[in-house]
Amino acid sequence: MTKMSGAEILVESLLKEGVRDMFGYQGGAVLPIFDVLVDKPINFILVRHEQGAAHAADGYARSTGKVGVCIATSGPGATNLVTGIATAYMDSVPIVALTGQVPTHMIGNDAFQEADIIGITRPITKHSYLVKDVKELARTVKEAFHIARTGRPGPVVIDLPKNVSTGETEYNYPEKVNIRSYNPTYLGHPMQIKRAAKAISKSKRPVIYAGGGIIISGASEELLKFSETTNIPVTTTLLGLGGFPGTHPLFLGMLGMHGTKYANLAITESDLIIAIGARFDDRITGKTSEFAPHAKIIHIDIDPSAISKNIQVDIPIVGDAKRVLQELNKIVTKCDISPWHRKINKWKREYPLTYKQNEKLKPQYVVEKIYEVTKGRAIITTEVGQNQMWAAQYYKYTRPRTLLSSGGLGTMGYGFPAAIGAQVGNPEAIVFDIAGDGSFQMNIQELATAVQFNLPVNVAILNNQYLGMVRQWQELFFNKRYAYTSLEVSPDFVKVAEAYGAVGIRVEKKEDVTPALKHAIQTKKPVILDFRVEKEENVFPMVPAGAALNQMIEGMA
Amino acid sequence: MKHTISVLVENRFGVLARVSGLFSGRGFNIDSLCVGETDDPTVSRMTIVVRGDERVLEQIIKQLRKLIDVIKVSNLTKEEHVERELVLIKVSAMNKKRAEIMEIVNIFRAKIIDVDHQIVTIEMTGDEDKISALIELMKPFGIKELVRTGRIAISRGGR
C-alpha cells in the first residue's frame, strides 16, 4: 500500500466523516494541512479571527445537527479557539477542533507559537487528543467524531504536531470505533419509565420542562405527541426554544430569570415536573430551595451527572430524550387536569408577555417585526444580554435548530460568527443575528468573512449605546450607577458595513422597521441593520439572581 | 469524612491530569493518590483518598465516570474493603537506641531493610492508623527521612 502524509490522512478521514464545510485560519504549524485541503472537495471558510472559526463551527453544528469542524494553528491560533470551545462545551455542541502543534521533539521547550492546548482545554472539552504518531491519526479522527456526536455531544480537540502532519504511513480508515470505557445509555430503564407514567397519571398540576436535549436528540415530534397525548403544558429553557412549537396552545414560553410569569408560576405551583434534556441551571431554578416546592420531579437526561446535581430528582431516567419519550408515549394517557389548565389560562391572560408601546423605537418591536417579516422561518442567532432575552421572548420558534444562542457560557460575540456558520450549513435559509452594539463589536471582523464567501447573513443590532443587560442590573441593583457600561463611542455601523463591502441600513423610526427588514432579506449580501432603539429599555419580567421563581420584577406594573 | 475511591483507567499519558483536574477544579485537596498498572498492562488503577462534602463527591464520581479514559469508578468507602499503605522510615540509630528500635520493629512486624552506623531504614505496610502509630513511636529517636505511599485499597470477597 502506498504511504500518505499525515495531512493527507487527516483530510481523507474528514471526508470519510462526511465533512464538507470547515472554518479556520492559517498558520505555521498547519501549513501542510492547508496545502492538502486546498485541493479537496471541502468548502473552507477563512475567518478573520480563530474565535470566529470556533463559533461558526458551533453555529453550523447547532443549525444542521452535523459535527462542526474548525482548525487553527498552534499557540495563539489554538488559544483563540478557547472561548468557542468552552461555549460549545457548556451547550453540548458537537464540534471537532483541530489545532496545529509544534513538532513532537520541541513540545515542552517553549518553542515559537507553542501552547499546551490540551492542558488549556482539558476542563472545557468532552475529550482531547495529542497525536504523537502519524499511525494513530486515522483512528483518532474516527474516535473524535464518534465522541463529539454521540451521547451528550461536546467538543473534541485534536492537537496535531507539525511532524505528524508531514510524517508518512499507510492509510486505513477504521470501520468501527471501539472505546471500551465509553458507552452512553440511550434506552431508559423500563421500570423507571413505568414509574414515570404512573406519576404522570396521578398528577393534578403537571408541567413539562424541556431543554436543549430535545433538540439535540431530535425529539421534538415525540415531545409534541407526549404533550398533546397527556395534555400537559410545556415550558422550555432558552436552548429548548424551537423544540416545541412556540405557537402551540400548550406552550408556556420560556421559564427562568427572564421567563414568562405564567411559566414560572406554573413551575412554582406544580405537583409534577417532567424535565427532559435540561439541567436545572441556576438561571432556570432561581433559589433552589424554593424551586417547585410541591412538585415531584421526573428527570430524563442522557448524562447521569446532570441528575440530582442542583435539584433532588424523584424519578431519574437516564437515556436519550427521543427514545425515552417514544417509550413513554406508548403508555401515557390523557391527564384529567382541567382546573390546572383554567388556572394557567387565567395567568396567561393576567400576566401576558408585553412591553410598553409608545412612539419610540422599542427593541422588542424590532424582534416582533423580524418574526413577522420572516414568517418565523428564519434561523436566529443571538449575542448575549438583553438582545438575547428579547430574541427569546418576542420571536416564536416553531421548529428545532432555529435559535442558536450561547446559553451556558453566555458568550458575547457568539451570534455573528454562529450566523455565518448557520448560513454555510443552510445556504437557502434567512439568517438573522439579533445583536447588541456591544456584542457585535466582539467579532465584527467576521464581516470580511461574510462578504468574501457571499454569505447573506443579516445582523440586527439593537443599538442602545449601552451594555444593556449590565446597565439594567446597575439600574435595579446598583443605584443607577452606570459604571463603564456606556458605549457612547461606537463606530458608525452603516459605514463599517460599507467599508467591508456589506450593506448598512440605519433605522430610527418605528415605521421604517418593516421596510428595512424586507429590504435586508432580499439583499444577497450581508446586511447590518443599525436599529437605534430606546436606550434604557429593560428586559422584564425578571427574577433577581438568587430569588425564588415567583419573586418576579415586572415592568408594566 | 475521608473517602477512598478506586478508579480503573486507560494506561495512557494525560489520564492522571484529567482525573486530578476534576478534584482541583472544585477546590478539593487530594489526600493521597496511588497509581499502578494492573494485571492488564493497558489498564491502571488509581486509589484516591479525599475529604469532602458527600454531595460534591457524588458529583465528582459521576464526572469521573464521564471521562472517556475512565473504565470504572467505585467508592470503596461504601463497601467492605481492605486498605494498606507502605512506609519507609530512616531513623537515627546510634549505639544503645538500636535495640530499642529493633524491639518496636518486631512488635509492629515491620522490617529493617537498610542499616549503617548512623541509621536504620524501616519498612512497614499496614493501614493508616498502624503506620501513624509507628511514626509516632519513631519520632523520639529522630526521623531523618520518611516516605509513605498513600493508601491503596481493594474490596473484600469475590466481588
Side-chain angles (χ1 to χ4, degrees):
Chain A
M1 197 188 263
T2 53
K3 289 192 169 180
M4 282 165 68
S5 75
E8 287 170 316
I9 289 170
L10 172 71
V11 178
E12 284 305 322
S13 304
L14 293 176
L15 286 166
K16 277 268 188 190
E17 287 300 322
V19 176
R20 294 296 175 269
D21 304 285
M22 224 170 126
F23 307 86
Y25 208 81
Q26 260 283 21
V30 285
L31 270 163
I33 299 169
F34 278 89
D35 192 54
V36 173
L37 203 54
V38 73
D39 294 327
K40 299 288 178 179
I42 289 183
N43 173 31
F44 185 79
I45 307 294
L46 176 70
V47 295
R48 294 302 187 270
H49 184 293
E50 290 88 351
Q51 186 185 350
H55 291 323
D58 172 312
Y60 180 89
R62 291 194 210 213
S63 63
T64 61
K66 298 179 204 163
V67 177
V69 183
C70 58
I71 181 167
T73 193
S74 62
T79 55
N80 277 344
L81 292 177
V82 167
T83 302
I85 294 169
T87 304
Y89 182 71
M90 288 289 268
D91 290 347
S92 311
V93 181
I95 65 171
V96 170
L98 307 165
T99 52
Q101 184 53 278
V102 301
T104 46
H105 65 271
M106 288 164 78
I107 290 178
N109 288 359
D110 295 340
F112 177 65
Q113 292 196 329
E114 180 186 357
D116 173 12
I117 197 62
I118 295 299
I120 291 168
T121 58
R122 195 174 290 123
I124 54 165
T125 48
K126 184 167 174 189
H127 198 51
S128 53
Y129 295 91
L130 167 62
V131 184
K132 287 177 76 180
D133 183 343
V134 66
K135 293 189 186 74
E136 294 287 302
L137 183 53
R139 184 186 56 79
T140 302
V141 175
K142 180 86 187 171
E143 283 187 13
F145 275 80
H146 175 72
I147 289 169
R149 66 162 74 97
T150 54
R152 178 174 177 177
V156 178
V157 170
I158 306 178
D159 200 22
L160 297 156
K162 195 167 183 179
N163 59 329
V164 169
S165 296
T166 52
E168 293 193 340
T169 190
E170 290 171 358
Y171 171 62
N172 280 307
Y173 201 63
E175 288 297 313
K176 278 191 174 167
V177 185
N178 181 20
I179 310 169
R180 60 179 155 187
S181 52
Y182 177 68
N183 298 296
T185 309
Y186 288 95
L187 293 176
H189 195 284
M191 276 308 291
Q192 292 295 87
I193 292 175
K194 270 187 201 148
R195 277 181 66 202
K198 200 171 168 194
I200 290 165
S201 70
K202 281 187 181 165
S203 68
K204 294 290 168 226
R205 299 184 307 279
V207 181
I208 296 164
Y209 146 49
I214 292 290
I215 290 163
I216 294 168
S217 81
S220 356
E221 277 178 37
E222 286 77 7
L223 174 63
L224 181 62
K225 191 176 173 205
F226 177 60
S227 165
E228 286 183 341
T229 307
T230 55
N231 205 22
I232 301 177
V234 179
T235 176
T236 75
T237 65
L238 175 68
L239 294 193
L241 289 171
F244 188 81
T247 47
H248 198 284
L250 284 167
F251 189 54
L252 299 175
M254 183 172 76
L255 79 162
M257 182 173 274
H258 293 294
T260 62
K261 184 159 180 178
Y262 39 95
N264 286 343
L265 288 175
I267 289 282
T268 305
E269 296 210 5
S270 164
D271 69 346
L272 180 72
I273 287 171
I274 305 140
I276 314 170
R279 59 187 176 85
F280 297 89
D281 170 84
D282 53 273
R283 286 295 189 265
I284 292 300
T285 59
K287 192 176 185 181
T288 49
S289 59
E290 288 173 37
F291 176 78
H294 318 292
K296 246 191 179 188
I297 294 177
I298 299 170
H299 190 184
I300 302 165
D301 205 289
I302 197 158
D303 177 2
S305 76
I307 287 174
S308 294
K309 183 173 65 176
N310 301 327
I311 298 284
Q312 197 58 40
V313 170
D314 301 289
I315 307 177
I317 305 176
V318 175
D320 177 54
K322 189 185 182 85
R323 303 273 192 95
V324 173
L325 281 174
Q326 281 169 346
E327 292 307 308
L328 261 178
N329 281 341
K330 290 178 190 163
I331 48 175
V332 289
T333 52
K334 189 171 173 181
C335 296
D336 179 17
I337 50 173
S338 350
W340 181 229
H341 280 293
R342 275 199 296 280
K343 198 164 198 180
I344 286 174
N345 288 331
K346 187 167 161 268
W347 288 332
K348 277 187 172 178
R349 282 193 304 275
E350 281 175 17
Y351 313 112
L353 194 60
T354 182
Y355 61 97
K356 219 176 264 173
Q357 291 267 18
N358 53 29
E359 74 291 346
K360 288 187 186 160
L361 181 54
K362 293 285 185 128
Q364 299 95 326
Y365 178 82
V366 175
V367 176
E368 285 178 331
K369 290 297 152 189
I370 294 173
Y371 175 70
E372 271 178 41
V373 169
T374 62
K375 302 181 178 72
R377 291 197 199 124
I379 295 175
I380 303 293
T381 71
T382 79
E383 303 293 341
V384 168
Q386 290 184 321
N387 59 79
Q388 180 183 34
M389 290 299 105
W390 287 319
Q393 291 176 331
Y394 291 97
Y395 187 105
K396 295 185 189 75
Y397 302 88
T398 49
R399 290 173 304 132
R401 304 195 180 281
T402 54
L403 171 64
L404 322 179
S405 188
S406 170
L409 197 66
T411 308
M412 288 174 70
Y414 168 81
F416 183 41
I420 288 175
Q423 188 77 78
V424 169
N426 305 267
E428 303 305 319
I430 295 171
V431 180
F432 262 93
D433 170 28
I434 296 181
D437 45 316
S439 294
F440 179 57
Q441 290 186 70
M442 285 205 178
N443 273 314
I444 197 166
Q445 77 289 343
E446 299 308 327
L447 265 170
T449 311
V451 170
Q452 180 181 346
F453 294 93
N454 299 313
L455 300 165
V457 294
N458 305 286
V459 181
I461 306 175
L462 307 177
N463 187 350
N464 54 11
Q465 297 172 59
Y466 276 114
L467 296 174
M469 186 60 92
V470 184
R471 189 209 53 75
Q472 176 172 340
W473 283 53
Q474 288 172 329
E475 179 185 331
L476 298 171
F477 313 117
F478 288 85
N479 251 335
K480 295 200 177 185
R481 284 161 52 83
Y482 295 162
Y484 306 111
T485 38
S486 171
L487 299 177
E488 70 243 19
V489 177
S490 273
D492 179 330
F493 289 113
V494 173
K495 282 190 184 158
V496 168
E498 285 162 3
Y500 273 103
V503 175
I505 307 173
R506 177 161 302 117
V507 181
E508 284 163 315
K509 293 195 200 104
K510 251 174 130 170
E511 59 268 28
D512 296 337
V513 173
T514 301
L517 289 170
K518 282 187 176 158
H519 180 66
I521 61 177
Q522 278 154 15
T523 306
K524 295 295 162 218
K525 277 185 173 184
V527 180
I528 308 303
L529 293 138
D530 182 18
F531 291 103
R532 308 304 291 252
V533 297
E534 169 141 36
K535 288 180 71 174
E536 299 199 10
E537 187 70 14
N538 287 331
V539 179
F540 289 122
M542 177 181 191
V543 179
L549 271 193
N550 56 356
Q551 309 291 309
M552 304 192 86
I553 306 173
E554 284 162 274
M556 298 297 287
Chain B
M1 176 186 174
K2 272 196 182 183
H3 296 265
T4 308
I5 300 162
S6 181
V7 190
L8 284 175
V9 299
E10 297 288 346
N11 188 3
R12 279 192 201 130
F13 68 89
V15 178
L16 176 60
R18 286 182 208 279
V19 169
S20 62
L22 289 181
F23 292 88
S24 61
R26 288 169 178 77
F28 266 48
N29 184 31
I30 294 176
D31 279 12
S32 76
L33 188 151
C34 291
V35 195
E37 228 173 73
T38 63
D39 52 320
D40 175 352
T42 68
V43 177
S44 295
R45 183 184 291 278
M46 296 183 180
T47 310
I48 305 168
V49 181
V50 284
R51 247 183 291 238
D53 173 71
E54 191 101 11
R55 263 194 58 174
V56 183
L57 192 77
E58 194 59 42
Q59 182 57 214
I60 291 177
I61 288 175
K62 285 176 174 175
Q63 296 286 348
L64 278 171
R65 292 197 174 111
K66 266 171 78 173
L67 291 179
I68 307 291
D69 288 329
V70 168
I71 301 163
K72 190 168 185 256
V73 186
S74 27
N75 186 351
L76 290 177
T77 323
K78 294 193 168 165
E79 49 189 283
E80 290 281 305
H81 67 281
V82 188
E83 299 175 355
R84 286 293 180 272
E85 276 185 50
L86 170 71
V87 68
L88 301 176
I89 313 171
K90 208 179 269 185
V91 191
S92 157
M94 306 294 274
N95 310 330
K96 293 169 201 158
K97 300 284 181 195
R98 198 161 288 232
E100 219 177 309
I101 291 171
M102 297 281 286
E103 199 175 327
I104 295 170
V105 163
N106 285 333
I107 293 167
F108 274 81
R109 295 198 182 92
K111 265 194 287 184
I112 289 179
I113 54 166
D114 187 33
V115 60
D116 71 9
H117 296 298
Q118 270 96 43
I119 62 105
V120 292
T121 303
I122 305 165
E123 172 199 311
M124 189 181 76
T125 61
D127 63 15
E128 197 182 334
D129 290 348
K130 183 177 169 189
I131 303 254
S132 300
L134 178 67
I135 292 170
E136 280 308 309
L137 286 171
M138 286 302 143
K139 270 183 185 166
F141 299 103
I143 294 176
K144 295 290 175 198
E145 223 181 321
L146 180 150
V147 55
R148 60 199 284 186
T149 55
R151 191 183 293 177
I152 60 167
I154 200 161
S155 63
R156 280 189 191 274
R159 329 180 347 107

